[in-house]
Amino acid sequence: FTLGLGGVLSSGGFLLLWLAMHFAWKLTTAPLAAITFMYGQGQLTTDVAVIPTLAANFPNHRGTAVGMGKAFVGLSGSLAAAFYNGFLYPDIVSFILLLVVWIIAACVIGVLFVERCAGVQGIASPLANDVVRRQFMIGFAIVYGMCALLLAIALWEHLVDLSNGLRSVLAMCVFAANAVLLSFLGTRREQSARAAPGSSWEQTGRTPSVECAQAEMRQYTLTEAACTVEFWLLFLGTIAAAGGGLLLINNIAQVNLALGENDKVSNTFVSLLSISNCLGRMIAGTLSDWLVLRFPGFPRPAYLAGSQALCALLMAAFALFPSSTSLYFLVPVVGAGYGSISAINPVLAAEVFGMAHLGSIYMAFSLAAAFSSYGFATFLFGGVYDAESHGACVIDDVCRPGSYSACLSGTQTSCCLGPACINLSFGVSAAAALLSVCLYLLVAYLTRDRYIASTARTTPGISLLSCDTR
């Protein structure tokens, strides 16, 4: 039901937008805001339907499964751009209608063929875990190939004016890889598997960590979770950590213009952001899963602390020494850092507060990203950018100073030129990322006993050091 509702809201928003464009309706700000709100709610509803389902269906590989699901969100911009440039450019109206059909088809398939498992009975054997892990690795290889192809297309378009025929061929290659991946993973689900006959598990007659096998983790409701320190630390950590990524995602074109570059270069950065966002989500899910298994009791929030420390370092360097060259280093790191937040947040919610009410708790964390987007991408960056504009305008896809003759008329698109347009915004974002490092490390400290207990219940051969599963 939730997935269907998300599909109705998302496709309905795009359908209204298509009608407005097709029939040339003269819409004011309020109707456009309502359409945007409708689509945004549909996207959030779909996300809340999909992510808890992945977390429930793959309990022993939650980070990997959620990371791959989130990766397609990060990759969606590049996939849509490849299809549009390859088959429909410059017919944007038909592309919007295609999105309506695309969303409806995806949600119908999901409603009909995807179900949420009731839960894993028993503990998966090492053999079952290895099979699932290999399936994910094959899927990752296909996604990495898609990312490499999309990045090559973006760079190629930056250097050479591609013909429509070549664009179509490249787009077909991308979507062929996508079709192979979906057909391969679409029928996979983690199997509930006890020990194989004759194995050491069955011979001993004991499941791992039998001392606490019956100690079930407390299942928090949203109200109960909101009364804990961990919830608000994660909520504030998400606001602080996501700020830099959302600032860059929403304003990459303006940052590029402020550096004096041609506006057409922004398309390359958009693709680079989308691809790094995708890779960050996959790597974060897989690597954090590996760390949890390799180092029993490793608290997953520590991974976010490490990724945000790197983002803080690069954003501070960019704030001090802004240039188009340093932007090429900043974009993939910050894009991947933001992707890691998107991938690990729902897993953290499941591991800290339980699966029973994951949808509502995860949606609450999504509100933190919304606050971060407005605070950093709109209020902070937009305010500084407008204040430092001084009448600058875009002429021939390049930002010109306000003293430029064509800018004096006031009819050109406004912009901002110079380091002052971006220094403060990225400096504040770097400080916020550093704050998030402290918050995530504090959450890691507070939840360390729960991670030790959780690892002991799900991993063979690990002695239980703590049964604190409150």
Side-chain angles (χ1 to χ4, degrees), residues 52 61 66 73 103 133 155 160 175 190 192 252 263 267 298-299 369 386 428 437 458 469:
H61 301 84
V66 172
V73 179
I103 293 171
R133 193 175 297 113
L155 295 175
V160 181
F175 278 84
E190 186 162 312
S192 171
I252 186 62
D263 189 40
N267 295 330
F298 176 83
D386 291 341
V428 173
V437 172
T458 57
T469 57

Side-chain angles (χ1 to χ4, degrees), residues 165 190 261 277 288:
E190 186 162 312
E261 295 294 327
N277 195 354
S288 64

Side-chain angles (χ1 to χ4, degrees), residues 128-465:
N129 278 331
D130 287 342
V131 171
V132 175
R133 193 175 297 113
R134 283 197 298 270
Q135 291 172 350
F136 275 119
M137 290 304 103
I138 295 173
F140 282 168
I142 299 174
V143 175
Y144 288 142
M146 290 171 60
C147 290
L149 182 57
L150 287 167
L151 181 60
I153 293 173
L155 295 175
W156 199 355
E157 287 181 330
H158 176 56
L159 299 173
V160 181
D161 187 14
L162 301 180
S163 65
N164 289 337
L166 185 55
R167 290 173 187 267
S168 300
V169 171
L170 293 174
M172 289 173 64
C173 293
V174 172
F175 278 84
N178 188 37
V180 170
L181 176 64
L182 293 179
S183 62
F184 175 77
L185 294 179
T187 57
R188 265 56 179 182
R189 176 195 298 167
E190 186 162 312
Q191 298 298 320
S192 171
R194 292 187 180 273
S199 68
S200 59
W201 290 18
E202 188 178 58
Q203 289 171 1
T204 59
R206 300 171 71 247
T207 57
S209 308
V210 70
E211 296 84 355
C212 241
Q214 301 302 319
E216 295 186 0
M217 176 182 176
R218 176 179 172 182
Q219 304 296 310
Y220 288 78
T221 65
L222 176 59
T223 304
E224 292 170 341
C227 294
T228 65
V229 175
E230 292 91 332
F231 177 89
W232 290 108
L233 289 174
L234 287 172
F235 192 88
L236 294 175
T238 300
I239 293 177
L246 290 168
L247 185 152
L248 199 58
I249 290 171
N250 292 335
N251 300 288
I252 186 62
Q254 287 82 353
V255 173
N256 180 60
L257 286 172
L259 296 174
E261 295 294 327
N262 192 295
D263 189 40
K264 293 180 180 178
V265 181
S266 301
N267 295 330
T268 301
F269 285 119
V270 169
S271 293
L272 189 58
L273 262 176
S274 178
I275 293 167
S276 61
N277 195 354
C278 166
L279 293 177
R281 295 170 192 231
M282 286 200 304
I283 293 172
T286 306
L287 184 55
S288 64
D289 268 356
W290 180 83
L291 288 171
V292 169
L293 292 174
R294 180 66 178 82
F295 305 100
F298 176 83
R300 212 180 290 261
Y303 180 93
L304 286 179
S307 67
Q308 288 308 305
L310 181 58
C311 290
L313 177 63
L314 285 188
M315 284 190 289
F318 183 74
L320 295 173
F321 310 103
S323 68
S324 56
T325 301
S326 59
L327 186 60
Y328 275 101
F329 289 95
L330 178 71
V331 165
V333 173
V334 174
Y338 176 73
S340 67
I341 300 169
S342 301
I344 293 183
N345 254 359
V347 182
L348 283 179
E351 291 174 340
V352 175
F353 303 111
M355 285 292 304
H357 305 281
L358 178 58
S360 58
I361 296 173
Y362 171 54
M363 181 173 283
F365 285 130
S366 298
L367 293 177
F371 292 145
S372 182
S373 178
Y374 179 78
F376 286 87
T378 303
F379 182 78
L380 173 62
F381 184 88
V384 173
Y385 197 84
D386 291 341
E388 297 292 339
S389 176
H390 303 306
C393 69
V394 179
I395 303 294
D396 296 328
D397 295 322
V398 177
C399 188
R400 307 293 183 180
S403 58
Y404 203 76
S405 57
C407 296
L408 298 177
S409 63
T411 58
Q412 304 294 332
T413 302
S414 63
C415 62
C416 185
L417 182 64
C421 304
I422 54 181
N423 285 350
L424 179 61
S425 299
F426 281 95
V428 173
S429 298
L434 192 59
L435 173 62
S436 74
V437 172
C438 300
L439 295 174
Y440 284 132
L441 288 177
L442 184 54
V443 174
Y445 175 77
L446 293 175
T447 58
R448 66 193 187 284
D449 288 340
R450 261 171 275 185
Y451 275 97
I452 293 173
S454 175
T455 304
R457 285 197 305 270
T458 57
T459 306
I462 294 181
S463 61
L464 192 64
L465 302 180

